[in-house]
Amino acid sequence: MAEVSKVIDWINKSGTPEQIAQYKELKRTVLDVTTQIPMTQKEITQIMAAAGQANVAIDNAGLVRFTQDAAKMGIAFDTTAEQAGEWMAKWRTSFSMTQDQVVDLSDKINYLGNTSAANARQISEIVTRIGPLGSVAGLASGEIAAMGATMVAVGVAEDVAATGIKKVITTMTAGEAATRRQQTVLDNMGISATDLAKRMQKDAKGAILDFMSAVKKMPKAEQTSALKMYFGEESVAAISPLLTQLELLEEQFGKVGDASRYAGSMEAEYAARADTTENKVQLAKNSIAKL
């Protein structure tokens, strides 16, 4: 609890009577959570500390909700409690999300991980690296996850995929700042750099799919050259899967755009992973520790 009270101002075991009461209540809540979720007290407080370090504006009840959601995500995504808390905290701040929206993003990532060759941890890493840059181009967090899943599915490393997506965002939103080489590529496809930048703000997903479709209509020998001229040679390795796997990219976009497919995915994954002998033993140990 020392780590939690250190980073969250309104929790202090030696502060005002109100702060002391909140500290004691939260401490009891941590013990209660450990009897419901198979994580230790230390792991649960690591999640709370991650929220505090990221300056997540949250009250006592909100902190408990955040902690429970992040703990479930850690188990569902097969990662550490601290990592799950850090991801959720960063998504809340960088994408200006509510907790419900963060859970919705977690559902999308989990569903993509379950239905593609990329896993949830890899996709989460990419989404976190991109952060709020996606909103510059009108890309939703789920659409960033879909692009990341497409790249990772064909063997692109997470850091390379994140760099590639950033390059797509900054290049396609350049507008009048597009270089002569970039404008030449767009002219050959009958696309205006300014119009493309405007469309990225309104429908980034559609703009990216249409751009890649236009490149794919070129003679095969010219496609890689067009990508090099437009995005830069150093980015082609990361971006080319969006062209070669265009149908997969479209399919991934469809997955995160249909709530009936992904809703509740993380909760279901958590329930399945938590229902093991190992986790039941951990819950029993936690109950003894609480007592």
Side-chain angles (χ1 to χ4, degrees), residues 53-265:
Q53 287 168 338
N55 295 318
V56 174
I58 205 164
D59 59 14
N60 201 328
L63 183 59
V64 173
R65 162 84 193 281
F66 175 93
T67 302
Q68 290 173 322
D69 289 340
K72 289 179 179 180
M73 188 177 87
I75 292 170
F77 287 15
D78 192 24
T79 189
T80 65
E82 191 172 12
Q83 179 66 85
E86 183 182 330
W87 279 337
M88 272 200 168
K90 285 183 176 178
W91 296 345
R92 278 185 64 118
T93 53
S94 62
F95 292 110
S96 300
M97 286 179 164
T98 64
Q99 188 60 26
D100 285 340
Q101 289 171 326
V102 169
V103 172
D104 187 68
L105 173 58
S106 303
D107 283 340
K108 291 174 182 176
I109 291 174
N110 190 75
Y111 185 69
L112 287 169
N114 285 346
T115 57
S116 70
N119 64 50
R121 282 181 294 173
Q122 292 171 312
I123 301 169
S124 298
E125 190 64 39
I126 292 169
V127 171
T128 305
R129 285 173 182 265
I130 301 299
L133 185 61
S135 61
V136 173
L139 267 174
S141 55
E143 292 167 351
I144 293 171
M147 292 175 70
T150 304
M151 292 175 167
V152 171
V154 294
V156 179
E158 298 97 287
D159 58 336
V160 176
T163 301
I165 295 171
K166 287 179 181 178
K167 189 67 174 178
V168 169
I169 292 170
T170 55
T171 303
M172 294 184 69
T173 56
E176 294 180 357
T179 66
R180 186 175 298 176
R181 284 164 61 91
Q182 291 169 338
Q183 189 62 63
T184 299
V185 174
L186 294 177
D187 287 343
N188 290 339
M189 294 189 291
I191 299 173
S192 159
T194 304
D195 289 344
L196 180 60
K198 289 178 180 177
R199 189 174 176 202
M200 284 289 286
Q201 301 300 323
K202 297 177 182 177
D203 177 24
K205 176 183 71 175
I208 291 169
L209 289 173
D210 287 350
F211 176 86
M212 291 298 170
S213 296
V215 174
K216 203 160 190 177
K217 289 175 183 175
M218 292 180 170
K220 205 161 186 67
E222 297 178 14
Q223 292 176 11
T224 301
S225 175
L227 290 179
K228 285 181 180 179
M229 286 182 66
Y230 190 63
F231 293 111
E233 188 166 358
E234 71 285 351
S235 302
V236 171
I239 296 172
S240 58
L242 301 181
L243 177 65
T244 59
Q245 303 293 324
L246 188 56
E247 289 183 3
L248 175 60
L249 175 61
E250 195 166 2
E251 181 185 340
Q252 305 288 50
F253 277 146
K255 289 176 184 176
V256 299
D258 185 357
S260 67
R261 298 170 72 178
Y262 67 76
S265 174

Side-chain angles (χ1 to χ4, degrees), residues 276-287:
T276 64
T277 302
E278 181 183 11
N279 283 331
K280 288 174 182 176
V281 169
Q282 183 63 59
L283 286 172
K285 289 180 178 178
N286 290 351
S287 294

